[in-house]
Amino acid sequence: MTDSLAAIQSASTKIVPKPETCYCSVMRETLLTMLEEHVLLGQRHIARQREIVADCHRNGFRADLAEELLSLYEQMQLLHVAHRDRIRNSYET
């Protein structure tokens, strides 16, 4: 290993904070808060899209595109929840 490569690797290990530091704790809480906000926002989008689908049916309009969008929102929501849970579980172990 060259001296310059060794110096870079040594410096990079000093930059990364240890998990028990306050910085990592703040980053973890910020990430979990952001992920939870994504899940909540997804719930609001789904609720609103369900209203739109119901309005389309009630007023005799085509609802196929609105239903397709609702399905996409629901699929994305599953991904958001799984991602949040995966990250949350990784911090608990």
Side-chain angles (χ1 to χ4, degrees):
M1 181 180 318
T2 66
D3 290 336
S4 60
L5 181 57
I8 291 170
Q9 287 178 337
S10 175
S12 68
T13 59
K14 293 175 186 171
I15 294 171
V16 178
K18 292 186 169 73
E20 63 271 7
T21 62
C22 181
Y23 175 78
C24 282
S25 166
V26 170
M27 292 292 289
R28 177 178 34 236
E29 292 306 314
T30 300
L31 177 59
L32 290 173
T33 299
M34 181 188 69
L35 293 172
E36 189 61 39
E37 288 172 359
H38 288 170
V39 170
L40 294 173
L41 182 60
Q43 290 173 348
R44 288 195 300 269
H45 286 165
I46 289 169
R48 177 62 185 131
Q49 193 63 26
R50 285 183 177 148
E51 291 173 3
I52 292 170
V53 169
D55 286 345
C56 287
H57 286 294
R58 185 173 35 257
N59 294 313
F61 299 130
R62 288 182 52 189
D64 53 338
L65 292 177
E67 290 169 342
E68 187 176 332
L69 184 57
L70 174 59
S71 176
L72 289 173
Y73 282 161
E74 291 169 337
Q75 291 171 40
M76 273 194 315
Q77 184 69 356
L78 292 174
L79 295 173
H80 283 302
V81 169
H83 184 226
R84 180 206 56 198
D85 292 347
R86 187 172 47 253
I87 298 297
R88 183 188 296 159
N89 292 337
S90 75
Y91 286 143
E92 291 175 356
T93 58

